[in-house]
Amino acid sequence: MRKIYLAAFVLGVILGSLIEIHSQTFDEQQTSQEIAALFNKTKHKVKEKRGIKIENFVDIKSKPAVKQSSIPQKWTRARDSR
């Protein structure tokens, strides 16, 4: 009976941690998209000088960069050739 309770407890802890990890990555993605949206810019500028009309339209869209991996890369150093 104890083994069944222990197995149920371990299974519950594992499932709980998986759900927490999944929700954390979703929150990080949503937060990064919200931060990137703060840097979006739109400008429309009209200038007229000596009968010539110049219009400038700038639309800057920011999107978050995708992180490759959270595991640090192993750097290798080239050996000195002596």
Side-chain angles (χ1 to χ4, degrees):
M1 192 68 165
R2 285 182 138 179
K3 289 181 181 180
I4 294 173
Y5 286 134
L6 180 63
F9 175 74
V10 170
L11 184 63
V13 169
I14 291 172
L15 288 176
S17 64
L18 290 176
I19 291 171
E20 183 179 332
I21 290 170
H22 177 69
S23 66
Q24 183 179 7
T25 56
F26 177 73
D27 291 341
E28 290 173 358
Q29 290 172 352
Q30 185 178 5
T31 304
S32 62
Q33 288 175 353
E34 290 173 358
I35 292 171
L38 294 174
F39 294 101
N40 291 346
K41 296 180 182 177
T42 303
K43 290 184 179 179
H44 185 234
K45 186 177 182 183
V46 180
K47 199 181 214 183
E48 191 168 342
K49 192 173 189 180
R50 297 182 187 156
I52 299 175
K53 187 176 181 181
I54 299 173
E55 289 190 44
N56 288 339
F57 183 77
V58 179
D59 189 24
I60 299 173
K61 299 277 184 182
S62 300
K63 56 183 173 179
V66 177
K67 190 174 181 181
Q68 292 289 334
S69 174
S70 62
I71 301 171
Q73 296 178 354
K74 294 182 180 179
W75 297 95
T76 57
R77 177 181 278 176
R79 292 186 177 181
D80 296 337
S81 57
R82 293 184 188 184

